[in-house]
Amino acid sequence: MTATVEEDRTAVGADRLPGAWGLGLRRGGLEIRQFFRQRDQVVFTFAFPVVFLFLFASIFRDDVEGAGITASQLYVPAMMAAGIMSTSFQALGVSIAIEREEKVLRRLRGTPMPPAAYFLGKIWLVLFTGLLETAVLLLVGTTLFDVDLPSDAGRWFDLGWIFVLGITACALLGIAISSVPRSANSASSVVVLPFLVLQFISGVYIAIGTIPDWMLNVGALFPLKWMCQGLRGVFLPESAQVLEQAGSWELGRVALVLAAWCVGGLALCLLTFRWKDRRTG
């Protein structure tokens, strides 16, 4: 009798579906494979910030007065921050909107897969592509534009938490904004426009010192400005702090703002995310 009960328990355990974490890992592997099968998307995703970095850093190569750096060095951490946001906020905002209209989300919602596994899969995708994008930009910056790698463990640690908090906040915002477009055709416009504006007012394309204060204050409401500032603190010498609005890297505030956006982004996702498009309810 005991043996029969044990056999029944074993059979039930064998038929049990993997948990959300295990399914999320599998879903993440599927997302990564699907991403790299679309060659044009891969090329555009990784080439866009690299091309812009090369253009801006090659055009503006003069020394920055009083900062002990060149203008090209200033662009490297800024473009790294933009690359992180591109692979998370922009990529998820567009792709999820398309999947919603093509009823991919609706079909997934009807399967036994926990909803958390779908989002974990997306997070694994953006972590992988974000790391790869950052590595590529760092390679270009160190080989072509004289940017030094972090010289101590503390700066590597700063790079790690800025990357994790930044990509998490931007990914959650990308998931949230994916519910805004009314159709897949409008998704790119709806998502790319605010991202483009943020790049101009957050110190990506234009130096902080030449942006009006009110624009900087608007940019400071969003993660990109703080990611740029934090990464400048990682890769640039202390003398370059004079270029910041507050005259300091403010890494404590960077951590606070990015962490707050992680919490706020999660709240926005819970409030706004839809599995169906508006036409089907």
Side-chain angles (χ1 to χ4, degrees), residues 1-16:
M1 179 68 177
T2 304
T4 303
V5 172
E6 292 298 329
E7 289 173 0
D8 290 343
R9 288 177 178 173
T10 301
V12 171
D15 293 337
R16 187 176 300 162

Side-chain angles (χ1 to χ4, degrees), residues 29-242:
L30 176 63
E31 293 276 0
I32 292 170
R33 289 194 298 272
Q34 288 178 334
F35 172 79
F36 281 99
R37 285 172 184 164
Q38 302 176 36
R39 295 182 181 178
D40 54 343
Q41 181 182 8
V42 173
V43 172
F44 179 81
T45 299
F46 292 111
F48 187 82
V50 173
V51 169
F52 269 70
L53 170 60
F54 181 78
L55 287 175
F56 279 96
S58 298
I59 294 170
F60 304 102
R61 300 182 63 92
D62 296 336
D63 292 339
V64 180
E65 185 177 355
I69 60 171
T70 63
S72 58
Q73 290 174 308
L74 195 61
Y75 278 110
V76 174
M79 291 306 304
M80 287 176 63
I84 292 171
M85 193 167 186
S86 173
T87 56
S88 51
F89 172 79
Q90 181 175 312
L92 290 188
V94 174
S95 65
I96 293 176
I98 293 172
E99 288 178 355
R100 181 181 291 111
E101 180 161 305
E102 293 179 347
K103 301 195 171 42
V104 173
L105 297 186
R106 188 174 183 178
R107 291 194 294 270
L108 288 174
R109 193 70 177 94
T111 68
M113 183 183 75
Y118 171 77
F119 297 108
L120 282 172
K122 292 295 187 185
I123 294 298
W124 284 118
L125 172 64
V126 300
L127 279 174
F128 184 83
T129 54
L131 278 171
L132 193 54
E133 180 79 89
T134 302
V136 171
L137 288 167
L138 190 55
L139 178 63
V140 173
T142 54
T143 55
L144 298 181
F145 303 112
D146 299 323
V147 170
D148 295 326
L149 290 173
S151 56
D152 56 74
R155 288 201 173 191
W156 281 110
F157 177 74
D158 290 337
L159 174 60
W161 65 256
I162 292 168
F163 176 85
V164 171
L165 289 179
I167 204 166
T168 301
C170 292
L172 290 170
L173 286 175
I175 294 171
I177 202 173
S178 70
S179 297
V180 175
R182 292 185 174 272
S183 68
N185 291 333
S186 65
S188 292
S189 300
V190 170
V191 175
V192 172
L193 179 59
F195 178 40
L196 183 62
V197 172
L198 282 177
Q199 289 178 85
F200 276 97
I201 66 175
S202 299
V204 176
Y205 298 141
I206 301 175
I208 290 290
T210 59
I211 302 174
D213 283 344
W214 71 268
M215 284 190 181
L216 286 175
N217 292 334
V218 172
L221 298 175
F222 299 94
L224 183 58
K225 186 263 186 187
W226 300 100
M227 291 163 59
C228 291
Q229 184 169 314
L231 290 175
R232 285 194 292 268
V234 170
F235 292 103
L236 299 183
E238 296 298 320
S239 58
Q241 291 187 82
V242 297

